[in-house]
Amino acid sequence: MAQSEEKLAHPSMPPRRLSFVFLVVAVWAGGGAGCPASDREALLAFRSALSEQHLGIFSSWTGDDCCSQWYGVSCDPPTGRVADISLRGESKDRSGGLMYGRISPEICRLDRLTALVLADWKHISGPIPPCLTSLPLLRILDLIGNRLSGPIPDDIGNLSRLAVLNLADNQISGSVPASLSALSSLMHLDLSNNQIAGAIPGDFGELRMLSRALLARNRISGVIPSSVGHMARLADLDLAQNRISGEIPASLGSTPVLSSLYLDSNRLSGQIPVELFSSRGLGILNLSRNAIEGEMPDAFGSHSYYTALDLSYNRLSGPVPKTLVMAAYVGHLDLSHNRLCGALPVGSPLEHLQPASFADNHCLCGGPLPACK
């Protein structure tokens, strides 16, 4: 498993974090009276619930004008109201990038806030304040890399302008709120590496603007909603290392721009839909470590371009499809630990693969394996 996961370490996904050192914060120089006293008081209440002793990021939070040179604070020039708070720690495990405390509900007094980024501080704990869902202009909520616990607020769907929701790498529990599907502007969703349980809402596919849905390494159960196949902008779907069961929806094969699909280490059963292998954009497909059975669909062709295709540790039977040699490209292929049988097709891309790609099958032969008898 370790070797398979290492080879498929999500190569298509760009880094989710920015180093504290390279963070550029846009700060409005301000003028006149500066930010309102109510905004300044809310910021100071927010700051009082946090403790950061090494980098001194709050040392600039002095004076009456929070719009001028308060680190990580940006204001809207026409109104002078606080619009953005962007504070990032070190994504790597260094003692210099630690912040303790909690997110004070006083932050919700900033009712013109469009972005709240409080990421990679490792020790910020406590719940996500439910009142955040009352901020009408919020577009970015990025709280990755802390120790937040408790559930995602039930009425998260109230944030009609939210485009980025990143709660990854915390200790969040509860279920995926049913109201999440109402986030009509959501483009990036990352809930990975938490303790979220329960099923994915059946109308998850209503997130028409969503391009990345990352929910790996949780305790999600139930089935993959067929509505996901109707998401016209979905490019990356990662549901790996959960407890998802049932069959793979055939509708996933018709998702027009889907390029990476990670369903590994779940409890999926049934057969691989032929529509999935017929997809013209899918470049990374990992279905390993499930209970998928039946034959591999014989549906490869010149449209097939896989940088990684991992079907290992399943119950696949029958021959390796002859059309596999018609694929335009297959970089990494792992069909090991199945019940496949028969002679391997002759030609590219199989000719450059190692025997380990086909290990522990019933009776495969030819190619990099011993000759057929």
Side-chain angles (χ1 to χ4, degrees), residues 170-308:
N170 279 287
Q171 298 172 8
I172 294 170
S173 57
S175 59
V176 179
S179 72
L180 186 82
S181 303
L183 295 174
S184 57
S185 300
L186 194 65
M187 294 186 287
H188 177 100
L189 174 66
D190 193 347
L191 305 179
S192 56
N193 199 25
N194 278 289
Q195 300 169 16
I196 298 170
I200 300 171
D203 58 352
F204 190 82
E206 293 298 315
L207 296 169
R208 302 297 188 188
M209 300 296 292
L210 196 65
S211 63
R212 307 188 74 205
L214 313 178
L215 292 85
R217 297 179 299 283
N218 278 288
R219 301 170 183 175
I220 296 171
S221 57
V223 301
I224 302 171
S226 59
S227 65
V228 175
H230 306 304
M231 302 172 74
R233 296 172 183 259
L234 187 64
D236 302 300
L237 178 60
D238 189 352
L239 302 176
Q241 298 182 47
N242 278 290
R243 301 171 183 178
I244 298 171
S245 57
E247 298 186 359
I248 301 170
S251 59
L252 282 177
S254 58
T255 309
V257 297
L258 189 65
S259 61
S260 68
L261 177 60
Y262 294 88
L263 302 179
D264 47 296
S265 300
N266 277 289
R267 300 172 181 177
L268 295 169
S269 58
Q271 300 186 6
I272 300 173
V274 64
E275 293 87 352
L276 206 57
F277 278 6
S278 301
S279 172
R280 294 186 174 273
L282 200 56
I284 299 176
L285 177 60
N286 192 341
L287 306 180
S288 65
R289 295 188 180 270
N290 281 287
I292 300 170
E293 56 189 8
E295 296 189 3
M296 292 175 59
D298 199 5
F300 294 93
S302 58
H303 63 275
S304 305
Y305 193 101
Y306 290 98
T307 56

Side-chain angles (χ1 to χ4, degrees), residues 1-7 241 264-265 288-289 310 313:
M1 172 63 177
Q3 181 182 13
S4 175
E5 288 181 346
E6 214 172 88
K7 291 177 180 177
Q241 298 182 47
D264 47 296
S265 300
S288 65
R289 295 188 180 270
D310 193 341
Y313 290 92

